[in-house]
């Protein structure tokens, strides 16, 4: 399983944008079973992060996320998004 971390600096970091992202995450959770979180940096309220843990199918999840971003009008509203994937470690069945 993997976790997805997406960070960005929205051009307009407003409560209204946060509500739209939360609505998109609710739709994504309904579709994928993955409940995302929206965070903002403690020392820079204009840096936001979305966290999606426990993803089994990266490609399928990524496609669903992209589709819902577009449907909710968020693909441009968030600005440039930087995605990083992490996997659980140690992997099951590995021996070191």
């Amino acid at each position: 399983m993997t976790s997805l971390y997406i960070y960005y600096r929205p051009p307009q970091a407003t409560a209204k944008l946060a509500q739209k992202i939360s609505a998109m995450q609710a739709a994504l959770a309904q579709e994928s079973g993955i409940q995302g979180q929206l965070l903002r940096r403690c020392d820079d309220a204009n840096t936001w992060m979305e966290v999606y843990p426990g993803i089994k199918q990266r490609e399928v999840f990524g496609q669903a996320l992209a589709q819902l971003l577009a449907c909710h009008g968020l693909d441009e509203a968030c600005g440039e998004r930087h995605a990083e994937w992490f996997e659980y470690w140690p992997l099951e069945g590995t021996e070191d």
Side-chain angles (χ1 to χ4, degrees):
M1 275 197 272
T2 60
S3 294
L4 174 60
Y5 298 86
I6 304 169
Y7 62 95
Y8 50 94
R9 294 178 59 83
Q12 296 185 20
T14 63
K16 183 176 180 178
L17 178 59
Q19 291 169 346
K20 288 180 76 171
I21 292 168
S22 293
M24 180 278 298
Q25 288 180 323
L28 184 59
Q30 212 169 19
E31 184 174 319
S32 69
I34 304 295
Q35 181 61 56
Q37 293 180 305
L38 176 62
L39 309 171
R40 69 178 184 176
R41 198 171 156 143
C42 295
D43 61 347
D44 178 5
N46 292 320
T47 300
W48 292 10
M49 178 178 280
E50 295 171 36
V51 179
Y52 301 97
I55 299 166
K56 293 179 182 173
Q57 297 178 309
R58 286 177 52 177
E59 293 78 19
V60 172
F61 184 83
Q63 290 172 357
L65 176 59
Q67 182 179 19
L68 286 169
L69 284 169
C71 288
H72 286 257
L74 294 169
D75 44 359
E76 292 183 18
C78 293
E80 186 177 351
R81 296 163 56 89
H82 304 277
E84 296 189 17
W85 291 90
F86 286 79
E87 62 188 357
Y88 291 99
W89 187 253
L91 297 175
E92 274 188 41
T94 60
E95 293 183 29
D96 286 1

